[in-house]
Amino acid sequence: MKIKKAIFPVAGLGTRFLPATKAMPKEMLPVVDKPLIQYAVEEALSAGIEQIIFVTGRGKSALEDHFDHSFRLEQTLISKEKNDLLRQVQEIIPESGTIVYTRQNQPLGLGHAIWCARDIIGDEPFAVLLADDLIMSGKSVLGQMISKFERLRASVVAIEEVSKSETDKYGIIDGIDSGDNMVEIKGMIEKPKPENAPSNLAIIGRYILTPRIFELLEKQQKGAGGEIQLTDAMASLLDDQPIYGYKFSGKRFDCGSKAGFLKANIAFALENEEIKKELIPYLREISKENGV
């Protein structure tokens, strides 16, 4: 069955970025000249996703407006003959019906956010993308994962090695290498302390899941942090179905942290030839001033 739908959990408050996120959704923070959420949506669409499902909360109207027409802005750009900017603004907007919105009315975690989209997904496999994990790659990571799913017909999650000291920030897997950058997962733990972690292979924000996951999330069992954890439901799913981890090709930036967000801005800015010319001399200058 083709992966046609993707869930974007965007109901979080973005407290790590306060006060910037007091009146603006975290997902709208810009990396160079595009908001985080746009990178994720573009990745999904380039992978062949046909329906974008935003699981939102209060205060997310700016996100919704971003993917809609702004007739006043477009008319202004037309009148000033700024055709390149007009094209960029209009390219953001998918076809009508491509985006669906639903609300997560309780802050109960990632698993609960995904469960909120159950009726929209129906009885078919689907993708989940977390905008905080911004990935620079040639072929979209989701596109890479869909290729693996089409061969395996089983749930696939993106994984990467993290520092042993940081296992308490991620869902960590225990598995067996099955070749072709794939790991057959035998177990997983949500945010284990380093001494309890079965490995340093962490699940990051790209998933392809089968609809069976909704039955497990329906139990509404709370795990780490008092939230309904997707990792816990996936661990239960292993009793019935295989799950594979995929060591993707690309560079991930953790834009849920301030340092990761700034690194992403620098890395993506250096991909722009015009900005690069001014940025590299500045980076050299401040590196010298700071004794680096």
Side-chain angles (χ1 to χ4, degrees):
M1 204 174 205
K2 185 180 178 183
I3 305 296
K4 297 183 293 185
K5 300 177 181 179
I7 299 174
F8 293 76
V10 292
L13 296 175
T15 52
R16 290 183 186 177
F17 285 86
L18 285 171
T21 51
K22 180 176 181 288
M24 179 175 68
K26 174 186 64 176
E27 298 80 13
M28 291 301 296
L29 292 173
V31 172
V32 186
D33 56 359
K34 290 194 290 190
L36 274 172
I37 191 62
Q38 187 177 333
Y39 287 98
V41 168
E42 288 176 352
E43 178 183 337
L45 294 175
S46 71
I49 294 298
E50 298 174 8
Q51 189 171 64
I52 303 298
I53 302 161
F54 287 131
V55 181
T56 70
R58 293 184 64 84
K60 300 291 181 172
S61 59
L63 187 151
E64 297 179 17
D65 290 344
H66 182 71
F67 292 101
D68 198 359
H69 284 285
S70 173
F71 294 105
R72 181 179 178 184
L73 172 61
E74 291 176 27
Q75 287 301 317
T76 299
L77 294 175
I78 290 170
S79 67
K80 295 185 177 181
E81 297 185 350
K82 295 186 176 182
N83 297 321
D84 185 53
L85 288 175
L86 177 65
R87 176 187 55 78
Q88 293 179 47
V89 167
Q90 291 179 333
E91 284 180 348
I92 294 169
I93 305 161
E95 292 182 21
S96 295
T98 301
I99 296 182
V100 178
Y101 298 93
T102 189
R103 293 288 285 264
Q104 181 184 20
N105 54 18
Q106 298 179 73
L108 292 178
L110 176 59
H112 181 259
I114 291 170
W115 177 80
C116 289
R118 64 199 182 283
D119 292 333
I120 304 171
I121 295 294
D123 188 26
E124 59 185 279
F126 62 97
V128 178
L129 294 91
L130 307 185
D132 278 0
D133 283 320
L134 176 56
I135 305 174
M136 181 183 286
S137 61
K139 180 180 180 180
S140 79
V141 171
L142 186 61
Q144 298 172 41
M145 293 172 64
I146 287 175
S147 296
K148 301 299 182 184
F149 172 83
E150 289 173 346
R151 178 171 64 86
L152 297 167
R153 312 309 296 176
S155 296
V156 180
V157 298
I159 58 173
E160 72 172 5
E161 292 186 6
V162 297
S163 168
K164 190 73 174 177
S165 63
E166 295 186 324
T167 57
D168 58 355
K169 298 178 181 178
Y170 300 92
I172 302 296
I173 70 163
D174 182 16
I176 301 172
D177 193 315
S178 58
D180 197 25
N181 292 317
M182 301 295 289
V183 175
E184 185 176 356
I185 297 175
K186 298 300 181 181
M188 58 185 77
I189 305 174
E190 180 66 19
K191 299 179 179 178
K193 294 180 179 179
E195 60 268 25
N196 298 326
S199 75
N200 69 329
L201 288 174
I203 300 171
I204 66 101
R206 301 293 184 277
Y207 308 76
I208 295 176
L209 300 169
T210 62
R212 169 77 171 119
I213 199 73
F214 291 122
E215 297 175 35
L216 300 169
L217 291 171
E218 183 77 32
K219 297 176 181 179
Q220 305 280 301
Q221 293 179 344
K222 294 182 181 180
E227 297 181 338
I228 299 169
Q229 296 290 348
L230 176 60
T231 304
D232 295 341
M234 290 170 59
S236 297
L237 181 62
L238 284 170
D239 294 336
D240 301 323
Q241 299 177 2
I243 304 176
Y244 291 86
Y246 172 58
K247 298 177 182 177
F248 60 91
S249 175
K251 170 66 175 176
R252 177 183 74 100
F253 298 93
D254 177 11
C255 291
S257 74
K258 294 175 183 177
F261 178 73
L262 291 171
K263 289 177 184 178
N265 267 281
I266 293 170
F268 278 80
L270 290 173
E271 291 293 300
N272 183 305
E273 289 301 322
E274 185 177 340
I275 299 174
K276 182 178 179 179
K277 291 177 184 178
E278 293 187 41
L279 185 58
I280 287 180
Y282 175 70
L283 291 174
R284 287 174 178 158
E285 178 185 337
I286 61 172
S287 295
K288 185 176 179 180
E289 289 175 356
N290 286 275
V292 179

